[in-house]
Amino acid sequence: MAEEKTNVMRILDKAKIKYKHYSYDGDSTTTGTQVAEMLNQNPGQVFKTLVTIGKSKSYYVFVVPVEKELNLKLAAISVGEKSIEMIKSKDLLSVTGYIHGGCSPIGMKKRYKITIDTQAEEFDTIIFSAGKIGSQVQISLEDLRKVVDFQIALIAE
């Protein structure tokens, strides 16, 4: 039985970008570190996608290693905001089109400013959500840049 492709995979296919797909049994309570363990991958190479709102009411997307936390001060500085905060879980679907635990930097409803933590540069590829819980993709930053604009900054601790 062929696995159902997520929107993220369809976007990557359309852009002719090779990726590795991983599946795992998880739910909205599964942590990123648990995902890395289930996939038998280095947790430093597995990233989570976090959505924030700035003082200006603009939304920002931050992609950080699952074993680290987003530093809100550094994140705000990286996007030129006075301050930012995490958006409420209940707002995630209407803002991004994704649910908590299945949020991906690829294929959001709108194009938001995306910042990826500098740790991503330590790896040839990074692993992140394919847009639904239980599904991850692995691609290079170079290939990711072909489908979304992003900047690299120190935002995690």
Side-chain angles (χ1 to χ4, degrees):
M1 186 173 110
E3 176 139 14
E4 185 188 324
K5 291 215 182 247
T6 66
N7 198 28
V8 170
M9 292 184 241
R10 283 190 290 273
I11 290 167
L12 293 173
D13 288 342
K14 191 175 174 193
K16 297 187 175 20
I17 292 170
K18 283 189 168 54
Y19 59 89
K20 186 167 182 183
H21 175 251
Y22 297 95
S23 293
Y24 64 93
D25 281 328
D27 58 33
S28 62
T29 64
T30 308
T31 68
T33 308
Q34 289 169 324
V35 170
E37 284 169 15
M38 285 187 243
L39 301 180
N40 207 14
Q41 296 295 321
N42 174 350
Q45 192 176 356
V46 180
F47 284 68
K48 57 189 171 187
T49 305
L50 304 172
V51 184
T52 63
I53 187 165
K55 201 166 176 63
S56 69
K57 299 293 180 231
S58 292
Y59 292 104
Y60 300 96
V61 175
F62 295 97
V63 182
V64 298
V66 295
E67 60 191 357
K68 293 188 173 180
E69 292 302 315
L70 178 65
N71 178 315
L72 293 173
K73 259 198 183 75
L74 291 175
I77 292 166
S78 77
V79 294
E81 282 278 357
K82 280 187 172 56
S83 65
I84 59 166
E85 59 186 48
M86 298 300 296
I87 70 167
K88 291 174 180 49
S89 226
K90 67 177 177 59
D91 297 334
L92 196 60
L93 184 61
S94 63
V95 170
T96 66
Y98 291 121
I99 60 165
H100 179 78
C103 198
S104 177
I106 299 173
M108 290 197 176
K109 280 183 167 180
K110 293 184 179 152
R111 289 192 182 263
Y112 300 111
K113 187 166 194 172
I114 299 171
T115 305
I116 299 176
D117 187 66
T118 52
Q119 186 168 312
E121 295 181 310
E122 296 170 21
F123 300 96
D124 292 335
T125 57
I126 62 169
I127 300 166
F128 54 86
S129 176
K132 71 174 188 184
I133 294 171
S135 196
Q136 300 267 309
V137 290
Q138 179 173 0
I139 65 173
S140 69
L141 288 177
E142 190 183 323
D143 281 341
L144 181 57
R145 197 171 291 284
K146 294 173 186 170
V147 289
V148 293
D149 288 328
F150 62 86
Q151 64 176 2
I152 302 274
L154 180 61
I155 53 171
E157 57 185 10

